[in-house]
Amino acid sequence: MKEFRSDISGFYKLSIDERQKLLSELVDLNQDDLEILSTFGYFQPAQIDNLIENVVGSYQLPLGLAFNFKINDKDFIIPMVIEEPSVVAAASNAAKMARKHGGFHSDEVKPIMISQIQITQLKDIEVAIESLKKSKELLLKIANEQDPILNKLGGGAQDIEIREIHTNKGKMLILHLLVNVLDAMGANVVNTMAEAISPKIEEICGGKIYLRIVSNLATHRLARSRATFDKEMLGGTEVVEGILNAYEFALADPYRATTHNKGIMNGIVALTLATGNDTRAIESGAHAFASISGKYSPLTKFKLDSDGNLIGEIEVPLALGIIGGMTKIHPMARLALKILNVKSASELSQVGAALGLAQNVAALRALASEGIQKGHMSLHSRNIAKLAGVPDDLIEKVSKNMIKDKKIRVDYAKEILKKINEGKNL
Ligand code: MEV
């Protein structure tokens, strides 16, 4: 048998058809596999081929809608792309509980991004800092020459911050260029500006510049949202008490805080993906922000109002754009933004924060009452029934029986199906 090897060169030069053919020889794909690979949906193969390298197909995920969201007195239907059952329903549920008390209040999010410039090998750090401070206007001018339109529209490079850091290779100066990117996520524009001002910085203060890149810890672009969740709708005093206990658990324990924040990101990432934004940037920024105090902590806070309702708030960096990147190129992202009807990047981030908070409350409510599995199980058991080959008209029945018997497995689905087919009354 021929040895399997992955060191294949020139794959990118092939057409998608040729790549699929070569792949099918390499990993022995059958006709069904090839058909799945050739299903491009709303994309033209040529379009998708331009997005990344070595494309062989297009990967699909469900687009669901979360309802009941009222944010700053405006109603939103929120598109979410996620593979996990229960998340969309949970968000809609929590939004209903907040709606009773006026919905979510999100603050304006200033779209300020940070681009970092790493200055090394400086002879005199203090002198360098002084020279850079004196040259601020010149540096901002050079940065803004890179994007006159952004500048004309009221955005552009606005300020610099200079930080001294201690590394294993000695002291370094890190210059932060602060740029108002308006409605974009902004990585491209700030990277261009950072590269453009770097030669001037070397001229001003000597030293050698290495990295010039956006920081995904967008601490100048924090999204904040708060809402009051109805005590009775949450399940009463006992459940609310459970939620407060869950919050204290997350505050005290990073193992729990990680999962607590994962629940928040279920919502935020689903919206990020739906709108064609960069999920990795949002995830890394959120988790870094969660540990900015030196201890990994929950991104939400909770307390009670005087009637015992739950007041929740969230603070998280959200660099979400409505122009640039994939937002306008991806047909479904474009459609998602149309459904969402946000007027600015700031409004999109305001929605993201409210959704993250709703998602968190929904998860904590379930955890503090019936547990999370109940909600998960009904969709999960349907998928298992399908996998077991149960015909469509019997899925519901087989799924219910699996849940009742607490055995959600393919072999058990088959066993139930057999009983039904034998005429047993289930
Ligand atoms: C599951 O995707 C998310 C939860 O684990 C979040 C949480 O534990 O708070 C339910």
Side-chain angles (χ1 to χ4, degrees):
M1 211 172 97
K2 221 172 122 192
E3 184 198 4
F4 174 78
R5 297 186 61 127
S6 68
D7 51 345
I8 293 156
S9 62
F11 197 72
Y12 72 97
K13 290 186 195 152
L14 305 177
S15 68
I16 293 185
D17 282 349
E18 289 167 334
R19 286 183 208 139
Q20 289 177 345
K21 189 160 175 294
L22 177 55
L23 178 68
S24 71
E25 286 159 15
L26 288 168
V27 298
D28 193 19
L29 300 183
N30 61 31
Q31 202 48 41
D32 286 349
D33 300 329
L34 284 172
E35 246 161 60
I36 293 169
L37 271 184
S38 302
T39 306
F40 287 93
Y42 43 75
F43 273 118
Q44 294 301 320
Q47 236 181 336
I48 204 159
D49 200 17
N50 279 330
L51 294 179
I52 60 164
E53 309 74 37
N54 296 342
V55 170
V56 290
S58 154
Y59 189 109
Q60 300 182 17
L61 284 171
L63 171 78
L65 298 177
F67 291 99
N68 306 323
F69 278 83
K70 191 186 265 298
I71 304 165
N72 299 340
D73 279 328
K74 175 174 166 187
D75 270 70
F76 292 91
I77 293 174
I78 306 185
M80 299 174 73
V81 172
I82 188 161
E83 86 300 341
E84 186 176 328
S86 303
V87 170
V88 174
S92 302
N93 257 333
K96 203 188 264 179
M97 297 172 197
R99 199 177 174 88
K100 189 163 175 213
H101 295 268
F104 297 83
H105 303 278
S106 297
D107 297 341
E108 182 72 29
V109 183
K110 269 203 162 178
I112 307 285
M113 291 301 279
I114 300 168
S115 198
Q116 296 195 290
I117 297 171
Q118 179 197 24
I119 316 166
T120 67
Q121 299 168 24
L122 285 164
K123 292 211 171 60
D124 188 329
I125 292 252
E126 296 312 318
V127 172
I129 293 175
E130 273 321 298
S131 318
L132 285 170
K133 279 186 181 161
K134 278 195 201 127
S135 310
K136 176 174 133 178
E137 293 309 323
L138 173 64
L139 293 174
L140 294 180
K141 183 170 164 287
I142 300 171
N144 282 323
E145 279 163 8
Q146 310 311 308
D147 198 335
I149 296 179
L150 182 70
N151 203 226
K152 209 168 136 199
L153 293 172
Q158 296 188 336
D159 207 352
I160 59 170
E161 292 171 344
I162 303 166
R163 297 169 50 228
E164 188 180 327
I165 61 168
H166 298 259
T167 79
N168 291 327
K169 281 193 173 292
K171 285 184 186 173
M172 294 179 190
L173 275 191
I174 308 300
L175 185 137
H176 283 186
L177 181 67
L178 306 188
V179 185
N180 182 337
V181 296
L182 297 179
D183 280 329
M185 182 274 181
N188 268 332
V189 62
V190 304
N191 291 341
T192 304
M193 287 181 174
E195 289 185 9
I197 64 172
S198 289
K200 184 53 82 184
I201 293 176
E202 279 182 344
E203 219 177 88
I204 293 166
C205 64
K208 175 155 178 53
I209 289 178
Y210 284 97
L211 270 58
R212 298 145 299 163
I213 187 75
V214 67
S215 170
N216 291 120
L217 180 52
T219 47
H220 294 279
R221 206 170 178 176
L222 295 180
R224 297 184 188 88
S225 190
R226 66 204 79 81
T228 301
F229 298 85
D230 189 69
K231 177 177 74 177
E232 297 312 328
M233 290 171 89
L234 280 165
T237 315
E238 189 65 20
V239 175
V240 173
E241 186 56 26
I243 294 175
L244 291 178
N245 271 285
Y247 168 53
E248 292 299 330
F249 181 8
L251 264 181
D253 178 15
Y255 284 90
R256 174 56 208 156
T258 305
T259 322
H260 178 106
N261 288 343
K262 189 273 183 187
I264 294 170
M265 299 315 283
N266 274 345
I268 291 177
V269 171
L271 173 68
T272 304
L273 198 52
T275 54
N277 275 283
D278 182 341
T279 53
R280 291 84 57 211
I282 294 296
E283 291 265 18
S284 59
H287 295 297
F289 186 68
S291 47
I292 207 156
S293 68
K295 179 179 174 203
Y296 188 88
S297 306
L299 292 163
T300 48
K301 288 189 179 129
F302 292 100
K303 61 182 180 192
L304 299 184
D305 73 4
S306 52
D307 298 322
N309 297 304
L310 185 74
I311 301 178
E313 56 182 78
I314 185 169
E315 185 179 45
V316 58
L318 283 186
L320 295 171
I322 60 165
I323 57 166
M326 289 286 279
T327 55
K328 293 282 193 303
I329 297 172
H330 194 290
M332 198 58 104
R334 219 169 35 223
L335 185 53
L337 280 166
K338 192 170 176 182
I339 296 169
L340 194 54
N341 188 28
V342 288
K343 301 294 179 221
S344 63
S346 168
E347 200 175 31
L348 176 55
S349 300
Q350 292 171 38
V351 171
L355 178 60
L357 175 59
Q359 210 70 66
N360 185 220
V361 168
L364 298 186
R365 190 210 60 77
L367 290 167
S369 49
E370 76 265 7
I372 210 76
Q373 287 307 77
K374 191 174 161 215
H376 274 166
M377 279 311 138
S378 96
L379 268 173
H380 176 58
S381 64
R382 290 170 147 273
N383 289 337
I384 294 290
K386 267 194 198 138
L387 214 65
V390 174
D392 282 353
D393 57 327
L394 292 176
I395 293 230
E396 182 74 26
K397 192 165 190 177
V398 172
S399 149
K400 275 197 175 140
N401 275 283
M402 283 196 289
I403 292 173
K404 177 169 69 65
D405 298 342
K406 296 199 169 66
K407 287 187 201 168
I408 298 163
R409 302 190 315 252
V410 170
D411 63 317
Y412 197 58
K414 286 184 178 160
E415 202 178 311
I416 296 171
L417 181 63
K418 191 161 166 259
K419 285 185 186 158
I420 295 172
N421 287 338
E422 284 164 357
K424 298 222 168 89
N425 206 1
L426 292 177

